[in-house]
Amino acid sequence: MAGESDTSTCALACVKCGKPANLQCPKCVELKLPREGAAFCSQDCFKASWSSHKAVHSKAKISSTGGQDSGSLNDGWLYCTRKGQGRSPKVPQFNWTGTLRPHPISKTRVVPAHIDRPDWALDGIPKIEPNSDFQHVVEIKSPDLISRLKETSRIAREVLDAAARVIRPGVTTDEIDDVVHEATIAAGAYPSPLNYHFFPKSCCTSVNEIICHGIPDARKLEDGDIVNVDVTVYYKGVHGDLNETYFVGNVDEESKRLVQSTYECLEKAIAIVKPGVRFREVGEVISRHASMTGFSVVKSYCGHGIGELFHCAPNIPHYSRNKAVGIMKAGQVFTIEPMINAGVWRDRMWPDGWTAVTEDGKRSAQFEHTLLVTETGVEVLTARLPSSPNMFPWLNSSS
Ligand code: MF3
Ligand code: CO
Ligand code: CO
């Protein structure tokens, strides 16, 4: 109570649009600049202001140690708290939908200089991606691109498996992020989420009612939680993207059903992938299985093309009666990544601008693969390996 009562001090106007602003530019906070000039209502307004806003950093005297440049904002949002206090003690006024709360985010992790980076690594802004023709046209990948995508996707799988092996009660999601980060750079790859549109960490960790894009933080996993780990790596100029939802200790029966149903939704969707199939069919298959098992399908987040770009065409909704255009062709590469909710399908966004949660606070699960359309069907580029840990009871052979 004491912490959350101190929220009136956050009622500032967004520098960009004037709406009530609960976010503070982390760099301004670090430099102890006036809060009025550092207030934003959303990541979108922050991004839109960035090219002009960053000038206020360079004007300010950098008193802190090192005095690094003010061009990169990767310390994460601090919820109107000062650096070092983390984001937990004081959070903006918000109708939390469930019992989860944000916890402090650790310092930015470093990527060694020899590792090749995507164009957002330094300043948080993807430059090629939003302007590419492949936002509208679905690329047919060349044999060379396909062989690089296979290599990268395999690394992503091995990184996710490394994360899966450390999941148990008491481990923080930040520790999972550390495992992902270290395994990624050990493979000579860059963790694609790091600084993507200013995302502060190297993977997404989405616990219980978090649908997706949870920020790894100091919260310890508890017995009975479910946690999704979403890994994307960048290697040899291309991205590979996958995620899985894991059980933490002993989980209730409904959560087990939710996670298994979500796994099956992805399996059933993959099973229809081949040249000539409409992208909009993916959502029909997923929606049918989700509703048959008593669950709902998230609409705000979709599967996506992937390759030299992290996110590109096609856009692949997971819900029924969607308006996705086009048919699958051999040589296309995209993800399918259904998010399935125990209760209502609607999502809400935490004030950090990233964390998507269920509107009713009930649990959500997700699985994701990167897929290649072949002449005869599909190849799962992020498929499980013989070395992958056995996390899912339904995969154990009955023999
Ligand atoms: N891996 C996510 C996806 O499946 C994207 C995460 S972007 C981040 O598309 F910035 F949130 F990390
Ligand atoms: Co992903
Ligand atoms: Co994805």
Side-chain angles (χ1 to χ4, degrees):
M1 282 293 255
E4 297 195 20
S5 63
D6 189 15
T7 52
S8 58
T9 56
C10 282
L12 297 166
C14 175
V15 168
K16 171 85 180 153
C17 72
K19 283 195 245 166
N22 284 322
L23 303 175
Q24 286 272 293
C25 166
K27 197 72 195 178
C28 289
V29 172
E30 183 185 327
L31 297 172
K32 301 197 171 66
L33 297 176
R35 298 173 61 254
E36 292 70 21
F40 294 91
C41 71
S42 64
Q43 290 272 340
D44 282 346
C45 275
F46 178 60
K47 278 182 252 162
S49 304
W50 177 245
S51 56
S52 53
H53 173 76
K54 65 184 178 191
V56 310
H57 305 150
S58 19
K59 280 185 208 138
K61 291 220 173 66
I62 300 170
S63 53
S64 60
T65 53
Q68 291 176 336
D69 81 288
S70 57
S72 116
L73 272 188
N74 40 24
D75 290 334
W77 291 98
L78 297 176
Y79 285 148
C80 306
T81 68
R82 297 190 37 234
K83 195 178 185 188
Q85 288 184 293
R87 48 176 197 172
S88 164
K90 297 177 189 173
V91 291
Q93 205 277 319
F94 184 70
N95 285 322
W96 306 98
T97 67
T99 55
L100 272 178
R101 294 295 180 275
H103 285 63
I105 298 171
S106 67
K107 275 181 56 191
T108 303
R109 296 189 209 284
V110 176
V111 177
H114 69 268
I115 289 178
D116 185 36
R117 294 144 206 270
D119 69 1
W120 55 82
L122 278 180
D123 65 0
I125 300 173
K127 293 147 203 85
I128 301 171
E129 183 166 294
N131 300 308
S132 168
D133 288 347
F134 295 133
Q135 293 304 339
H136 317 285
V137 178
V138 185
E139 182 180 16
I140 305 297
K141 265 65 175 176
S142 68
D144 166 66
L145 204 43
I146 288 171
S147 77
R148 285 187 281 142
L149 274 156
K150 287 182 181 179
E151 227 181 316
T152 302
S153 297
R154 186 199 163 94
I155 292 172
R157 160 53 70 180
E158 287 170 341
V159 169
L160 180 67
D161 288 348
R165 289 189 188 95
V166 304
I167 294 202
R168 56 175 169 76
V171 169
T172 69
T173 49
D174 183 65
E175 287 163 344
I176 296 169
D177 185 71
D178 188 48
V179 169
V180 166
H181 186 86
E182 293 303 321
T184 303
I185 64 177
Y190 180 92
S192 312
L194 184 60
N195 216 18
Y196 180 70
H197 293 288
F198 306 102
F199 189 83
K201 289 288 149 197
S202 299
C203 66
C204 301
T205 52
S206 301
V207 175
N208 298 344
E209 70 261 33
I210 303 182
I211 292 168
C212 64
H213 302 166
I215 301 172
D217 66 17
R219 181 184 179 275
K220 288 182 161 81
L221 293 175
E222 294 172 8
D223 184 64
D225 284 346
I226 59 173
V227 59
N228 177 280
V229 181
D230 191 339
V231 165
T232 313
V233 307
Y234 179 74
Y235 183 72
K236 296 196 177 172
V238 298
H239 301 271
D241 188 7
L242 82 163
N243 73 53
E244 291 182 339
T245 301
Y246 304 115
F247 301 120
V248 182
N250 293 309
V251 167
D252 64 84
E253 288 303 318
E254 201 201 21
S255 297
K256 286 183 190 163
R257 285 200 308 111
L258 173 68
V259 174
Q260 182 170 355
S261 168
T262 308
Y263 185 96
E264 291 163 350
C265 280
L266 176 55
E267 292 264 287
K268 286 174 188 291
I270 293 170
I272 68 160
V273 173
K274 65 175 182 189
V277 173
R278 290 176 172 84
F279 288 116
R280 67 171 196 241
E281 264 306 305
V282 168
E284 300 300 332
V285 169
I286 289 169
S287 171
R288 197 176 310 139
H289 189 64
S291 52
M292 209 179 68
T293 47
F295 302 123
S296 67
V297 181
V298 170
K299 295 188 170 187
S300 298
Y301 300 89
C302 298
H304 53 91
I306 187 166
E308 291 173 296
L309 308 176
F310 190 172
H311 296 103
C312 53
N315 185 58
I316 306 181
H318 307 295
Y319 52 89
S320 64
R321 291 184 279 276
N322 68 72
K323 302 271 181 289
V325 288
I327 58 165
M328 300 174 189
K329 298 187 180 72
Q332 294 174 338
V333 176
F334 51 80
T335 74
I336 301 179
E337 46 184 299
M339 287 140 275
I340 306 298
N341 295 351
V344 298
W345 60 269
R346 282 183 189 280
D347 58 281
R348 292 190 52 199
M349 178 79 85
W350 274 7
D352 61 15
W354 282 107
T355 310
V357 291
T358 58
E359 194 182 64
D360 59 8
K362 294 190 180 174
R363 290 181 171 196
S364 183
Q366 183 181 22
F367 284 85
E368 173 177 30
H369 275 303
T370 296
L371 308 167
L372 165 69
V373 185
T374 63
E375 297 293 342
T376 53
V378 60
E379 185 173 338
V380 182
L381 302 187
T382 45
R384 294 170 55 81
L385 301 166
S387 60
S388 294
N390 232 352
M391 306 299 289
F392 307 112
W394 55 88
L395 296 182
N396 289 333
S397 61
S398 50
S399 61

